[in-house]
Amino acid sequence: MTINAETFSQVLGKIKTSVARKLTSVYGEEMNYEKICKEFENDLVGIVSFMGEVSFIMLIMLKDEHIKKISKHFVGVEMDSHSDEIGDLISEVANIVFGDIEMDLKEINLHIERSLPTILKGKDMQPVLRKKAPSIILGFGKDNVLVELIGTTDDTLHKKPGS
């Protein structure tokens, strides 16, 4: 499905609402959408692919200061990117934060499925795709948690294996 400007605006609105709602619950403070960002600042990245009537990739980019707040609020123990259980925690956070997007997009008659999250550890990582894909980085809350939305450029990206 080719996405037009109106559909993109609806998708982006639903994503901003979903992500803000779930970041607020895992972060323990209000995490509204604040601004479009240009920078990549992260110590851990959680990546989820969405496939279906519209296809895109989403990344949640967390710095150690975000991870400490989330872990303290969410599991009661302060962790950072070097903690042994950090992969499990951030995988669960990515599932929670991106989980409602499927349901919210159904409200505008778009049906998608999402992958399990992949977690990457490193400093200021950014995705490199084989074609220039449209993307937008959204900043949430006063601590500027970054979420990137990367769209498709053609039908060859985000395909299920064997299709």
Side-chain angles (χ1 to χ4, degrees):
M1 170 183 192
T2 303
I3 190 166
N4 61 31
E6 181 183 342
T7 303
F8 176 75
S9 178
Q10 290 177 324
V11 168
L12 189 57
K14 291 293 185 184
I15 287 171
K16 287 176 184 176
T17 300
S18 294
V19 170
R21 181 175 58 238
K22 289 305 183 175
L23 273 177
T24 295
S25 72
V26 299
Y27 209 76
E29 62 186 59
E30 198 67 33
M31 296 294 287
N32 293 317
Y33 165 73
E34 298 291 332
K35 62 185 176 182
I36 294 175
C37 300
K38 299 274 185 218
E39 71 273 5
F40 278 87
E41 295 181 290
N42 55 65
D43 296 302
L44 278 176
V45 174
I47 305 168
V48 175
S49 294
F50 291 86
M51 299 153 288
E53 293 179 312
V54 293
S55 297
F56 52 91
I57 298 170
M58 292 194 70
L59 291 78
I60 183 167
M61 297 179 259
L62 300 170
K63 297 186 286 187
D64 271 335
E65 66 188 65
H66 303 139
I67 296 165
K68 288 176 183 177
K69 280 188 173 184
I70 289 169
S71 62
K72 186 71 173 167
H73 173 75
F74 196 62
V75 294
V77 176
E78 189 172 284
M79 297 181 200
D80 63 21
S81 61
H82 303 290
S83 300
D84 290 339
E85 295 84 21
I86 201 62
D88 291 338
L89 174 66
I90 301 307
S91 184
E92 186 59 28
V93 167
N95 267 329
I96 291 168
V97 170
F98 296 146
D100 278 2
I101 292 171
E102 286 176 77
M103 291 185 307
D104 288 350
L105 289 182
K106 285 180 185 175
E107 292 175 7
I108 58 172
N109 296 317
L110 291 176
H111 300 278
I112 57 171
E113 296 177 16
R114 72 184 152 96
S115 70
L116 295 174
T118 299
I119 309 304
L120 301 174
K121 183 168 127 179
K123 190 73 179 153
D124 300 334
M125 292 176 288
Q126 63 187 57
V128 177
L129 301 173
R130 57 193 174 131
K131 293 186 179 188
K132 179 64 179 149
S135 68
I136 187 170
I137 301 171
L138 309 171
F140 291 85
K142 65 178 173 48
D143 290 337
N144 205 33
V145 173
L146 300 178
V147 172
E148 184 173 19
L149 169 63
I150 303 170
T152 59
T153 54
D154 60 27
D155 290 339
T156 63
L157 294 175
H158 312 289
K159 285 266 188 186
K160 289 184 180 180
S163 62

